[in-house]
């Protein structure tokens, strides 16, 4: 069952041209989840990338934090029609994580603690478009928002920014993840309203 924050207010798209079609502006940060919130101690957290060869590259929390980090200022858009503008994140670029990993596949599946999955084309993960974020608004990322770390793919609807992320596995085909198997669009571009199949 999804969990929601109560009573967040929104304004129609006409109030800001940065809002994609059908979206409402909110100052809140609504919490939506497909199940209970996992609580992963940093000492038990790890992130891995599995290439098509079967090779797995992984990082512990301390190894992950030792990688170069970036501040990301961006707008985010949820398929449930809320948008939050001018958000600030800190994280490690997916480009940094893929440095030295040999892959020719064009798709990846993001895997989360708790079992959630979402498929994302590599073209949407690389080239400065995606991060593994561990801080929001200058503070460690709260578990309700995906902490200790979540995938951040801000140019797609926010269900693609998998909370509690634990890894990426390469795929030959664009196989659907959790919400995609349940009727959500395989890609999720908010500007063309790729909400559902």
């Amino acid at each position: 069952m999804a969990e929601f924050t109560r009573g967040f207010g929104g304004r129609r798209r006409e109030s800001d041209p940065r809002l994609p079609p059908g979206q409402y502006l909110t100052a809140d940060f609504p919490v939506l989840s497909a199940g209970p919130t996992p609580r992963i101690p940093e000492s038990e957290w790890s992130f891995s990338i599995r290439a098509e060869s079967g090779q797995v590259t992984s990082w512990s929390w301390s190894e992950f934090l030792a990688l170069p980090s970036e501040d990301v200022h961006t707008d985010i858009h949820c398929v449930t029609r809320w948008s939050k503008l001018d958000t600030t994140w800190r994280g490690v670029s997916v480009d940094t994580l893929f440095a030295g990993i040999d892959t020719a596949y064009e798709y990846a599946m993001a895997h989360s603690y708790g079992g959630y999955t979402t498929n994302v084309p590599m073209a949407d993960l690389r080239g400065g478009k995606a991060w593994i974020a561990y801080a929001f608004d200058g503070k460690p990322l709260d578990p309700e928002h995906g902490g200790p770390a979540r995938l951040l793919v801000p140019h797609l609807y926010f269900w693609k920014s998998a909370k509690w992320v634990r890894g990426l596995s390469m795929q030959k085909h664009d196989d659907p993840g959790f919400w995609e198997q349940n009727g959500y669009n395989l890609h999720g571009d908010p500007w063309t309203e790729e909400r559902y199949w």
Side-chain angles (χ1 to χ4, degrees), residues 59-146:
W59 297 264
S60 67
W61 183 251
S62 59
E63 291 168 336
F64 173 74
L65 290 183
L67 296 171
S69 292
E70 301 175 3
D71 290 320
V72 182
H73 305 283
T74 189
D75 305 333
I76 55 176
H77 311 288
C78 183
V79 71
T80 61
R81 300 190 182 274
W82 61 262
S83 289
K84 186 171 177 64
L85 304 182
D86 301 317
T87 63
T88 301
W89 306 79
R90 186 160 182 80
V92 176
S93 171
V94 170
D95 294 316
T96 297
L97 296 167
F98 269 93
I101 293 178
D102 186 23
T103 181
Y105 280 5
E106 296 181 11
Y107 304 99
M109 184 72 76
H111 299 269
S112 297
Y113 290 93
Y116 179 78
T117 57
T118 190
N119 57 301
V120 188
M122 289 300 293
D124 289 302
L125 291 174
R126 301 185 83 170
K129 296 179 182 176
W131 298 262
I132 304 301
Y134 58 85
F136 175 76
D137 204 16
K139 299 175 185 174
L141 193 58
D142 289 332
E144 291 77 15
H145 291 300

Side-chain angles (χ1 to χ4, degrees), residues 74-75 77 123-125 129-130 153-157 187-191:
T74 189
D75 305 333
H77 311 288
D124 289 302
L125 291 174
K129 296 179 182 176
V153 191
H155 67 283
L156 298 179
Y157 281 124
H187 187 233
D189 179 357
W191 291 97

